[in-house]
Amino acid sequence: MQNRRAAAATRVQEHLIEVLAPFGDSAVAEGMRYATSGGKRVRALLVMESARLHKVAGERAIWPAAGIEAMHAYSLVHDDLPCMDDDDMRRGQPTVHVKWDEATAVLVGDALQSLAFELVSHPAGAETSTARANLCFDLARAAGGQGMVLGQALDIAAETASSPLTLEEITHLQAGKTGALIEWSATCGAVMAGANADSLRAYAHALGLAFQIQDDVIDVTGSVEAAGKAVGKDAAAGKATFVSLLGLDAAKTRAADLVDQACDALSEYGKDAETLQQIARFVIARKT
Amino acid sequence: MQNRRAAAATRVQEHLIEVLAPFGDSAVAEGMRYATSGGKRVRALLVMESARLHKVAGERAIWPAAGIEAMHAYSLVHDDLPCMDDDDMRRGQPTVHVKWDEATAVLVGDALQSLAFELVSHPAGAETSTARANLCFDLARAAGGQGMVLGQALDIAAETASSPLTLEEITHLQAGKTGALIEWSATCGAVMAGANADSLRAYAHALGLAFQIQDDVIDVTGSVEAAGKAVGKDAAAGKATFVSLLGLDAAKTRAADLVDQACDALSEYGKDAETLQQIARFVIARKT
């Protein structure tokens, strides 16, 4: 799996560099390149692997794979802004508004969201127009005010709420903030092939929640060096997290159970789904 | 034309209210409703009229018409942010970051950009998947780092540049900032119908530039009451504009010439293009 992940990461990185080449050398273009460098590329790998599972060529799948990484990068650039989470470090590097300025960071995020839709709807991507149109429509819903942005808004509202969130509220928040893009990525291959996406969706639901629980675990147990970003912020801010609500051990157990559920959801695919199952296990093994 | 414009404006407003109903009553959802209220609806009218010209049903065209207004609204919310143009008033009302706060304004803009792509790719919009996919692809390119965002970035860079922009540079800036969405709107009907969009594109090129020249004219000659936003800002900031470069009278003449060009570009459509030609004339007659 690590080989496939490394290969997908390299390929996505090269593809993003290539599509951004005509954007010139303005601060916004440089910021777009900077913000789309590095990262775990989990979402891209989910796209590539769900595509492989449905016999979609890698040279086509690379377009939505790069697109979802552009979308993810936009969300990080805006989340890091002073008026949002106010983070100075990301992936061990200064955040975009620190390296440039706030105006550039707003515009870099805005342009990366547009780029995501450009890549996802690109004629060289999904073979049929129906798939291109559906990928766009699904991504718009996953990213917007009923998906990822809603999750972020609930997260900000929680900081000034009079009482900490309940487990149900945090689960709802995370379903938007992290789960929606994970689900889009994992179902992408089926949508590209015009196939039924139910099993991949069940896999993604469990995986997305496990992913966020593990993020909370890392926030408590991780080091700044390993994570490449600030840790311990949620606990310091008194924010409710899966760890604060469940306890550290129970949170780890819950994440492990969800990973088992995710793997089971793919049983119909047999051995072909091995990499996706390994991705799920990687999610709770990672330290960053 | 005013009747059609009023009808299109009402219809777009109702459609946006309808599609935003399921978004709930969070600050972000309320901000999205607030930011998409009012305005001249020129872009929506261009979509509706270019669709009518190509025999596309109004009930289909209303989806991309509402989509382009969501896109335009997102750009205004982010442009008004303190780190960008820092405007407190828009359409005679407090801007989103003044009425709520900066974080909400960033998220409202982000969610409105997603909403634009959701509406443009909606299955109830363009009849064919090809048109839905192409509208998304074209809109992503028009809005992104080689289109509208590029124009905004050039505009910000101009504020700290050592020398004022030349006429060529301002024309390039405005082609991105205003022209790209105008062109998408005016060609939308042809793309929906799978028809040749060359004439509409020529119309849009001339119209977009006339539109921006008139904006500069209003900045010099308008009143805050009529414009519903700050005026005289560009001159006060010593920014180069079409008016500062050409002089007021020559700028008005240039805008009028461009409107003539825009109208001529539609001659093949005969009487059917009358409303689009009236829109072009309205652009230089408007005071806001």
Side-chain angles (χ1 to χ4, degrees), chain A residues 8 41-53 61 65 68-69 181-190 200 203-204 207-208 211 266 275-277 279-280 283:
Chain A
R41 306 297 194 193
V42 171
R43 292 158 192 81
L45 185 58
L46 290 172
V47 169
M48 298 301 285
E49 284 302 314
S50 69
R52 206 170 56 83
L53 209 54
I68 195 68
E69 290 294 330
L181 290 201
I182 296 272
E183 180 177 329
W184 184 90
S185 306
T187 55
C188 184
L200 284 167
Y203 163 84
L207 178 67
F211 195 94
L266 300 181
T275 304
L276 285 172
Q277 289 164 333
I279 295 170
V283 156

mmCIF file of all heavy atoms in Angstrom, chain A residues 8 41-53 61 65 68-69 181-190 200 203-204 207-208 211 266 275-277 279-280 283:
data_model
loop_
_atom_site.group_PDB
_atom_site.id
_atom_site.type_symbol
_atom_site.label_atom_id
_atom_site.label_comp_id
_atom_site.label_asym_id
_atom_site.label_seq_id
_atom_site.Cartn_x
_atom_site.Cartn_y
_atom_site.Cartn_z
ATOM 1 N N ALA A 8 1.040 7.251 -6.127
ATOM 2 C CA ALA A 8 -0.086 8.167 -6.355
ATOM 3 C C ALA A 8 0.294 9.586 -5.946
ATOM 4 O O ALA A 8 -0.029 10.555 -6.643
ATOM 5 C CB ALA A 8 -1.314 7.699 -5.569
ATOM 6 N N ARG A 41 -2.043 12.926 0.869
ATOM 7 C CA ARG A 41 -2.671 12.523 -0.409
ATOM 8 C C ARG A 41 -3.634 11.353 -0.220
ATOM 9 O O ARG A 41 -3.807 10.539 -1.150
ATOM 10 C CB ARG A 41 -1.616 12.148 -1.465
ATOM 11 C CG ARG A 41 -0.562 13.208 -1.721
ATOM 12 C CD ARG A 41 -1.140 14.465 -2.267
ATOM 13 N NE ARG A 41 -0.101 15.349 -2.805
ATOM 14 C CZ ARG A 41 -0.317 16.624 -3.114
ATOM 15 N NH1 ARG A 41 -1.509 17.174 -2.927
ATOM 16 N NH2 ARG A 41 0.652 17.369 -3.603
ATOM 17 N N VAL A 42 -4.241 11.260 0.963
ATOM 18 C CA VAL A 42 -5.191 10.176 1.214
ATOM 19 C C VAL A 42 -6.368 10.252 0.244
ATOM 20 O O VAL A 42 -6.801 9.243 -0.316
ATOM 21 C CB VAL A 42 -5.695 10.224 2.677
ATOM 22 C CG1 VAL A 42 -6.846 9.253 2.885
ATOM 23 C CG2 VAL A 42 -4.554 9.911 3.640
ATOM 24 N N ARG A 43 -6.874 11.482 0.014
ATOM 25 C CA ARG A 43 -8.046 11.633 -0.854
ATOM 26 C C ARG A 43 -7.722 11.243 -2.302
ATOM 27 O O ARG A 43 -8.502 10.573 -2.976
ATOM 28 C CB ARG A 43 -8.573 13.067 -0.762
ATOM 29 C CG ARG A 43 -9.173 13.379 0.607
ATOM 30 C CD ARG A 43 -9.212 14.859 0.937
ATOM 31 N NE ARG A 43 -9.535 15.085 2.346
ATOM 32 C CZ ARG A 43 -8.627 14.990 3.325
ATOM 33 N NH1 ARG A 43 -7.364 14.693 3.063
ATOM 34 N NH2 ARG A 43 -9.005 15.198 4.571
ATOM 35 N N ALA A 44 -6.549 11.661 -2.766
ATOM 36 C CA ALA A 44 -6.134 11.294 -4.130
ATOM 37 C C ALA A 44 -5.999 9.779 -4.262
ATOM 38 O O ALA A 44 -6.411 9.189 -5.265
ATOM 39 C CB ALA A 44 -4.811 11.972 -4.482
ATOM 40 N N LEU A 45 -5.434 9.165 -3.245
ATOM 41 C CA LEU A 45 -5.249 7.712 -3.284
ATOM 42 C C LEU A 45 -6.605 6.999 -3.307
ATOM 43 O O LEU A 45 -6.774 5.996 -4.019
ATOM 44 C CB LEU A 45 -4.421 7.274 -2.070
ATOM 45 C CG LEU A 45 -4.029 5.799 -2.000
ATOM 46 C CD1 LEU A 45 -3.220 5.371 -3.227
ATOM 47 C CD2 LEU A 45 -3.225 5.510 -0.727
ATOM 48 N N LEU A 46 -7.563 7.516 -2.548
ATOM 49 C CA LEU A 46 -8.913 6.930 -2.570
ATOM 50 C C LEU A 46 -9.515 7.025 -3.972
ATOM 51 O O LEU A 46 -10.152 6.081 -4.454
ATOM 52 C CB LEU A 46 -9.817 7.643 -1.559
ATOM 53 C CG LEU A 46 -9.512 7.385 -0.080
ATOM 54 C CD1 LEU A 46 -10.351 8.315 0.807
ATOM 55 C CD2 LEU A 46 -9.787 5.917 0.293
ATOM 56 N N VAL A 47 -9.308 8.160 -4.626
ATOM 57 C CA VAL A 47 -9.807 8.315 -6.004
ATOM 58 C C VAL A 47 -9.121 7.303 -6.924
ATOM 59 O O VAL A 47 -9.798 6.571 -7.679
ATOM 60 C CB VAL A 47 -9.554 9.752 -6.528
ATOM 61 C CG1 VAL A 47 -9.819 9.838 -8.029
ATOM 62 C CG2 VAL A 47 -10.427 10.752 -5.781
ATOM 63 N N MET A 48 -7.818 7.238 -6.876
ATOM 64 C CA MET A 48 -7.065 6.356 -7.773
ATOM 65 C C MET A 48 -7.453 4.883 -7.543
ATOM 66 O O MET A 48 -7.616 4.110 -8.493
ATOM 67 C CB MET A 48 -5.553 6.526 -7.568
ATOM 68 C CG MET A 48 -5.002 7.919 -7.862
ATOM 69 S SD MET A 48 -5.278 8.529 -9.538
ATOM 70 C CE MET A 48 -4.075 7.569 -10.461
ATOM 71 N N GLU A 49 -7.592 4.507 -6.277
ATOM 72 C CA GLU A 49 -7.883 3.098 -5.968
ATOM 73 C C GLU A 49 -9.331 2.731 -6.277
ATOM 74 O O GLU A 49 -9.603 1.622 -6.743
ATOM 75 C CB GLU A 49 -7.561 2.818 -4.492
ATOM 76 C CG GLU A 49 -6.074 2.692 -4.227
ATOM 77 C CD GLU A 49 -5.420 1.581 -5.060
ATOM 78 O OE1 GLU A 49 -5.985 0.460 -5.125
ATOM 79 O OE2 GLU A 49 -4.359 1.827 -5.664
ATOM 80 N N SER A 50 -10.266 3.643 -6.011
ATOM 81 C CA SER A 50 -11.665 3.316 -6.353
ATOM 82 C C SER A 50 -11.824 3.280 -7.866
ATOM 83 O O SER A 50 -12.637 2.513 -8.402
ATOM 84 C CB SER A 50 -12.636 4.302 -5.696
ATOM 85 O OG SER A 50 -12.533 5.584 -6.277
ATOM 86 N N ALA A 51 -11.023 4.056 -8.570
ATOM 87 C CA ALA A 51 -11.040 4.021 -10.037
ATOM 88 C C ALA A 51 -10.478 2.681 -10.535
ATOM 89 O O ALA A 51 -11.065 2.043 -11.416
ATOM 90 C CB ALA A 51 -10.230 5.182 -10.610
ATOM 91 N N ARG A 52 -9.361 2.261 -9.966
ATOM 92 C CA ARG A 52 -8.748 0.990 -10.364
ATOM 93 C C ARG A 52 -9.717 -0.166 -10.145
ATOM 94 O O ARG A 52 -9.846 -1.067 -10.975
ATOM 95 C CB ARG A 52 -7.470 0.766 -9.538
ATOM 96 C CG ARG A 52 -6.418 -0.116 -10.204
ATOM 97 C CD ARG A 52 -5.115 -0.084 -9.430
ATOM 98 N NE ARG A 52 -5.277 -0.456 -8.043
ATOM 99 C CZ ARG A 52 -5.311 -1.714 -7.602
ATOM 100 N NH1 ARG A 52 -5.186 -2.719 -8.442
ATOM 101 N NH2 ARG A 52 -5.461 -1.959 -6.328
ATOM 102 N N LEU A 53 -10.433 -0.100 -9.023
ATOM 103 C CA LEU A 53 -11.417 -1.133 -8.685
ATOM 104 C C LEU A 53 -12.500 -1.227 -9.758
ATOM 105 O O LEU A 53 -13.099 -2.289 -9.961
ATOM 106 C CB LEU A 53 -12.055 -0.746 -7.337
ATOM 107 C CG LEU A 53 -12.580 -1.802 -6.405
ATOM 108 C CD1 LEU A 53 -11.516 -2.837 -6.099
ATOM 109 C CD2 LEU A 53 -13.055 -1.155 -5.104
ATOM 110 N N ALA A 61 -8.171 8.946 -14.100
ATOM 111 C CA ALA A 61 -8.459 9.163 -12.671
ATOM 112 C C ALA A 61 -7.568 10.242 -12.063
ATOM 113 O O ALA A 61 -7.939 10.867 -11.058
ATOM 114 C CB ALA A 61 -8.300 7.859 -11.907
ATOM 115 N N ALA A 65 -8.382 13.061 -9.086
ATOM 116 C CA ALA A 65 -7.482 12.885 -7.930
ATOM 117 C C ALA A 65 -6.769 14.198 -7.613
ATOM 118 O O ALA A 65 -6.687 14.607 -6.449
ATOM 119 C CB ALA A 65 -6.468 11.770 -8.210
ATOM 120 N N ILE A 68 -9.432 16.775 -6.176
ATOM 121 C CA ILE A 68 -9.838 16.691 -4.766
ATOM 122 C C ILE A 68 -8.712 17.181 -3.862
ATOM 123 O O ILE A 68 -8.977 17.752 -2.792
ATOM 124 C CB ILE A 68 -10.289 15.251 -4.397
ATOM 125 C CG1 ILE A 68 -11.045 15.257 -3.060
ATOM 126 C CG2 ILE A 68 -9.133 14.268 -4.332
ATOM 127 C CD1 ILE A 68 -12.382 15.948 -3.100
ATOM 128 N N GLU A 69 -7.467 17.033 -4.293
ATOM 129 C CA GLU A 69 -6.360 17.570 -3.493
ATOM 130 C C GLU A 69 -6.350 19.103 -3.547
ATOM 131 O O GLU A 69 -5.996 19.763 -2.567
ATOM 132 C CB GLU A 69 -5.022 16.986 -3.966
ATOM 133 C CG GLU A 69 -4.849 15.507 -3.643
ATOM 134 C CD GLU A 69 -4.764 15.199 -2.142
ATOM 135 O OE1 GLU A 69 -4.290 16.055 -1.381
ATOM 136 O OE2 GLU A 69 -5.180 14.099 -1.742
ATOM 137 N N LEU A 181 -15.730 15.043 1.864
ATOM 138 C CA LEU A 181 -14.717 14.904 0.792
ATOM 139 C C LEU A 181 -14.169 13.470 0.724
ATOM 140 O O LEU A 181 -13.843 12.982 -0.365
ATOM 141 C CB LEU A 181 -13.552 15.880 0.984
ATOM 142 C CG LEU A 181 -13.786 17.369 0.782
ATOM 143 C CD1 LEU A 181 -12.464 18.090 0.510
ATOM 144 C CD2 LEU A 181 -14.765 17.671 -0.329
ATOM 145 N N ILE A 182 -14.053 12.813 1.900
ATOM 146 C CA ILE A 182 -13.610 11.409 1.913
ATOM 147 C C ILE A 182 -14.607 10.552 1.123
ATOM 148 O O ILE A 182 -14.216 9.712 0.305
ATOM 149 C CB ILE A 182 -13.516 10.903 3.376
ATOM 150 C CG1 ILE A 182 -12.453 11.675 4.159
ATOM 151 C CG2 ILE A 182 -13.289 9.391 3.418
ATOM 152 C CD1 ILE A 182 -11.058 11.131 4.074
ATOM 153 N N GLU A 183 -15.891 10.803 1.362
ATOM 154 C CA GLU A 183 -16.926 10.023 0.664
ATOM 155 C C GLU A 183 -16.872 10.275 -0.843
ATOM 156 O O GLU A 183 -16.943 9.340 -1.643
ATOM 157 C CB GLU A 183 -18.314 10.388 1.211
ATOM 158 C CG GLU A 183 -19.423 9.601 0.526
ATOM 159 C CD GLU A 183 -20.802 9.891 1.112
ATOM 160 O OE1 GLU A 183 -20.888 10.186 2.328
ATOM 161 O OE2 GLU A 183 -21.786 9.825 0.356
ATOM 162 N N TRP A 184 -16.732 11.541 -1.215
ATOM 163 C CA TRP A 184 -16.646 11.848 -2.645
ATOM 164 C C TRP A 184 -15.455 11.114 -3.267
ATOM 165 O O TRP A 184 -15.582 10.530 -4.352
ATOM 166 C CB TRP A 184 -16.498 13.367 -2.849
ATOM 167 C CG TRP A 184 -16.509 13.768 -4.298
ATOM 168 C CD1 TRP A 184 -17.599 14.104 -5.046
ATOM 169 C CD2 TRP A 184 -15.376 13.821 -5.177
ATOM 170 N NE1 TRP A 184 -17.207 14.373 -6.336
ATOM 171 C CE2 TRP A 184 -15.864 14.210 -6.444
ATOM 172 C CE3 TRP A 184 -14.014 13.586 -5.018
ATOM 173 C CZ2 TRP A 184 -15.016 14.367 -7.552
ATOM 174 C CZ3 TRP A 184 -13.171 13.735 -6.113
ATOM 175 C CH2 TRP A 184 -13.675 14.131 -7.361
ATOM 176 N N SER A 185 -14.309 11.133 -2.573
ATOM 177 C CA SER A 185 -13.093 10.510 -3.107
ATOM 178 C C SER A 185 -13.272 9.007 -3.274
ATOM 179 O O SER A 185 -12.902 8.433 -4.313
ATOM 180 C CB SER A 185 -11.916 10.766 -2.159
ATOM 181 O OG SER A 185 -11.772 12.137 -1.912
ATOM 182 N N ALA A 186 -13.825 8.377 -2.255
ATOM 183 C CA ALA A 186 -13.921 6.915 -2.266
ATOM 184 C C ALA A 186 -14.966 6.412 -3.260
ATOM 185 O O ALA A 186 -14.872 5.293 -3.758
ATOM 186 C CB ALA A 186 -14.229 6.401 -0.866
ATOM 187 N N THR A 187 -15.968 7.232 -3.561
ATOM 188 C CA THR A 187 -16.999 6.818 -4.516
ATOM 189 C C THR A 187 -16.659 7.271 -5.940
ATOM 190 O O THR A 187 -17.357 6.903 -6.889
ATOM 191 C CB THR A 187 -18.386 7.387 -4.132
ATOM 192 O OG1 THR A 187 -18.284 8.805 -4.005
ATOM 193 C CG2 THR A 187 -18.879 6.797 -2.813
ATOM 194 N N CYS A 188 -15.609 8.065 -6.091
ATOM 195 C CA CYS A 188 -15.286 8.669 -7.388
ATOM 196 C C CYS A 188 -15.151 7.633 -8.511
ATOM 197 O O CYS A 188 -15.695 7.816 -9.605
ATOM 198 C CB CYS A 188 -13.999 9.482 -7.268
ATOM 199 S SG CYS A 188 -13.540 10.386 -8.748
ATOM 200 N N GLY A 189 -14.437 6.532 -8.232
ATOM 201 C CA GLY A 189 -14.231 5.520 -9.257
ATOM 202 C C GLY A 189 -15.526 4.916 -9.759
ATOM 203 O O GLY A 189 -15.702 4.699 -10.970
ATOM 204 N N ALA A 190 -16.449 4.655 -8.843
ATOM 205 C CA ALA A 190 -17.749 4.099 -9.244
ATOM 206 C C ALA A 190 -18.524 5.106 -10.087
ATOM 207 O O ALA A 190 -19.133 4.743 -11.104
ATOM 208 C CB ALA A 190 -18.556 3.695 -8.002
ATOM 209 N N LEU A 200 -18.810 1.369 -1.656
ATOM 210 C CA LEU A 200 -17.754 2.354 -1.433
ATOM 211 C C LEU A 200 -18.237 3.460 -0.500
ATOM 212 O O LEU A 200 -17.460 4.003 0.292
ATOM 213 C CB LEU A 200 -17.273 2.940 -2.767
ATOM 214 C CG LEU A 200 -16.370 2.006 -3.578
ATOM 215 C CD1 LEU A 200 -16.192 2.518 -5.010
ATOM 216 C CD2 LEU A 200 -14.994 1.850 -2.913
ATOM 217 N N TYR A 203 -18.072 2.129 3.042
ATOM 218 C CA TYR A 203 -16.639 2.151 3.395
ATOM 219 C C TYR A 203 -16.226 3.562 3.799
ATOM 220 O O TYR A 203 -15.582 3.776 4.844
ATOM 221 C CB TYR A 203 -15.839 1.660 2.184
ATOM 222 C CG TYR A 203 -14.363 1.979 2.168
ATOM 223 C CD1 TYR A 203 -13.439 1.169 2.841
ATOM 224 C CD2 TYR A 203 -13.873 3.070 1.447
ATOM 225 C CE1 TYR A 203 -12.078 1.455 2.805
ATOM 226 C CE2 TYR A 203 -12.519 3.364 1.409
ATOM 227 C CZ TYR A 203 -11.624 2.560 2.085
ATOM 228 O OH TYR A 203 -10.279 2.844 2.052
ATOM 229 N N ALA A 204 -16.616 4.544 2.993
ATOM 230 C CA ALA A 204 -16.194 5.928 3.215
ATOM 231 C C ALA A 204 -16.791 6.505 4.494
ATOM 232 O O ALA A 204 -16.131 7.259 5.208
ATOM 233 C CB ALA A 204 -16.581 6.791 2.011
ATOM 234 N N LEU A 207 -14.782 5.096 7.279
ATOM 235 C CA LEU A 207 -13.407 5.602 7.185
ATOM 236 C C LEU A 207 -13.312 7.073 7.598
ATOM 237 O O LEU A 207 -12.400 7.468 8.333
ATOM 238 C CB LEU A 207 -12.904 5.435 5.746
ATOM 239 C CG LEU A 207 -11.498 5.961 5.462
ATOM 240 C CD1 LEU A 207 -10.459 5.139 6.209
ATOM 241 C CD2 LEU A 207 -11.205 5.934 3.955
ATOM 242 N N GLY A 208 -14.250 7.882 7.131
ATOM 243 C CA GLY A 208 -14.217 9.315 7.422
ATOM 244 C C GLY A 208 -14.284 9.587 8.916
ATOM 245 O O GLY A 208 -13.555 10.430 9.443
ATOM 246 N N PHE A 211 -11.078 8.487 10.572
ATOM 247 C CA PHE A 211 -10.051 9.482 10.236
ATOM 248 C C PHE A 211 -10.080 10.639 11.234
ATOM 249 O O PHE A 211 -9.045 11.059 11.761
ATOM 250 C CB PHE A 211 -10.317 9.999 8.819
ATOM 251 C CG PHE A 211 -9.172 10.743 8.205
ATOM 252 C CD1 PHE A 211 -8.254 10.080 7.398
ATOM 253 C CD2 PHE A 211 -9.001 12.098 8.418
ATOM 254 C CE1 PHE A 211 -7.191 10.761 6.811
ATOM 255 C CE2 PHE A 211 -7.938 12.784 7.842
ATOM 256 C CZ PHE A 211 -7.035 12.122 7.032
ATOM 257 N N LEU A 266 -16.275 -3.685 1.908
ATOM 258 C CA LEU A 266 -15.718 -3.919 0.572
ATOM 259 C C LEU A 266 -15.578 -5.398 0.232
ATOM 260 O O LEU A 266 -14.937 -5.743 -0.771
ATOM 261 C CB LEU A 266 -14.345 -3.230 0.446
ATOM 262 C CG LEU A 266 -14.324 -1.719 0.635
ATOM 263 C CD1 LEU A 266 -12.909 -1.175 0.461
ATOM 264 C CD2 LEU A 266 -15.270 -1.033 -0.351
ATOM 265 N N THR A 275 -5.962 -2.770 -1.265
ATOM 266 C CA THR A 275 -5.293 -1.481 -1.030
ATOM 267 C C THR A 275 -6.218 -0.525 -0.272
ATOM 268 O O THR A 275 -5.781 0.168 0.650
ATOM 269 C CB THR A 275 -4.831 -0.853 -2.356
ATOM 270 O OG1 THR A 275 -4.000 -1.798 -3.033
ATOM 271 C CG2 THR A 275 -4.019 0.401 -2.112
ATOM 272 N N LEU A 276 -7.500 -0.490 -0.667
ATOM 273 C CA LEU A 276 -8.436 0.390 0.049
ATOM 274 C C LEU A 276 -8.547 -0.035 1.514
ATOM 275 O O LEU A 276 -8.672 0.808 2.416
ATOM 276 C CB LEU A 276 -9.813 0.372 -0.624
ATOM 277 C CG LEU A 276 -9.921 1.165 -1.932
ATOM 278 C CD1 LEU A 276 -11.262 0.922 -2.615
ATOM 279 C CD2 LEU A 276 -9.743 2.674 -1.680
ATOM 280 N N GLN A 277 -8.488 -1.351 1.751
ATOM 281 C CA GLN A 277 -8.557 -1.820 3.144
ATOM 282 C C GLN A 277 -7.286 -1.431 3.905
ATOM 283 O O GLN A 277 -7.337 -1.063 5.078
ATOM 284 C CB GLN A 277 -8.792 -3.339 3.161
ATOM 285 C CG GLN A 277 -10.218 -3.680 2.697
ATOM 286 C CD GLN A 277 -10.420 -5.137 2.313
ATOM 287 O OE1 GLN A 277 -9.483 -5.828 1.905
ATOM 288 N NE2 GLN A 277 -11.661 -5.617 2.438
ATOM 289 N N ILE A 279 -5.541 1.213 3.243
ATOM 290 C CA ILE A 279 -5.649 2.661 3.500
ATOM 291 C C ILE A 279 -6.406 2.887 4.806
ATOM 292 O O ILE A 279 -6.024 3.719 5.628
ATOM 293 C CB ILE A 279 -6.396 3.389 2.352
ATOM 294 C CG1 ILE A 279 -5.586 3.304 1.063
ATOM 295 C CG2 ILE A 279 -6.658 4.854 2.713
ATOM 296 C CD1 ILE A 279 -6.347 3.787 -0.170
ATOM 297 N N ALA A 280 -7.483 2.137 4.992
ATOM 298 C CA ALA A 280 -8.275 2.286 6.216
ATOM 299 C C ALA A 280 -7.412 1.981 7.439
ATOM 300 O O ALA A 280 -7.465 2.696 8.449
ATOM 301 C CB ALA A 280 -9.498 1.380 6.167
ATOM 302 N N VAL A 283 -5.000 4.725 8.267
ATOM 303 C CA VAL A 283 -5.600 5.915 8.888
ATOM 304 C C VAL A 283 -5.453 5.906 10.406
ATOM 305 O O VAL A 283 -5.190 6.941 11.021
ATOM 306 C CB VAL A 283 -7.096 6.015 8.482
ATOM 307 C CG1 VAL A 283 -7.901 6.827 9.487
ATOM 308 C CG2 VAL A 283 -7.197 6.635 7.093
#
